[in-house]
Amino acid sequence: MIKVAMTSVYVDDVAKAHAFYTGVLGFETRTRADLGDGTLFVTVGAGEGAQRDLELLLEPGQGPIAEPYRRAVREAGLPVIVFSVTDLRAEYERLRGEGVNFVQEPQEQGPILTAVLDDTVGNLVQLAQPKD
């Protein structure tokens, strides 16, 4: 069986992304290593021990491959990743209270409820909850 072990999100600033993804979104640090020259290798994962086998790499977003990709995705208004939540409306209110900027308020999209936030490091992130 093949499973996803790690995926990445290109970010403007790895340290700032780490603070946002852990301090605001509630992920936990899985790996944080200084590779020298100010380069950080940081992975985060779902908090409270959930999904222990899945990590999100906060990837430096500079360079000839990442920059055009990031610009195009952002200009198209596309989220770079989707996170599931159990109560989207409550999470939306909690995050708004933390000062998070939402570019799409909660709305129904077929069988799911979604909202889209700005992660402060160059990306749009979608939150999704299946409708009951």
Side-chain angles (χ1 to χ4, degrees):
M1 172 172 56
I2 298 174
K3 298 184 339 181
V4 176
M6 183 182 297
T7 190
S8 63
V9 172
Y10 290 120
V11 298
D12 292 338
D13 179 312
V14 174
K16 183 177 178 184
H18 184 220
F20 181 80
Y21 279 73
T22 56
V24 177
L25 295 184
F27 286 90
E28 65 184 20
T29 303
R30 299 281 175 83
T31 305
R32 187 177 193 287
D34 186 339
L35 303 178
D37 298 330
T39 303
L40 293 175
F41 180 86
V42 176
T43 67
V44 297
E48 301 175 13
Q51 293 182 306
R52 293 299 310 164
D53 60 346
L54 180 58
E55 297 183 49
L56 178 63
L57 173 61
L58 303 176
E59 185 88 42
Q62 298 73 29
I65 294 172
E67 288 175 3
Y69 164 78
R70 295 179 70 217
R71 185 172 37 258
V73 170
R74 182 70 184 225
E75 287 172 2
L78 299 173
V80 297
I81 195 162
V82 178
F83 297 134
S84 65
V85 295
T86 55
D87 185 343
L88 187 127
R89 293 189 192 283
E91 199 63 32
Y92 172 79
E93 292 301 329
R94 181 188 76 79
L95 292 171
R96 281 198 42 183
E98 293 277 340
V100 173
N101 177 41
F102 278 83
V103 299
Q104 177 207 303
E105 295 181 0
Q107 68 180 27
E108 293 185 11
Q109 292 186 339
I112 60 173
L113 182 63
T114 67
V116 178
L117 62 91
D118 184 322
D119 76 353
T120 74
V121 287
N123 303 297
L124 299 178
V125 172
Q126 185 174 65
L127 302 180
Q129 172 192 348
K131 291 190 312 189
D132 293 329

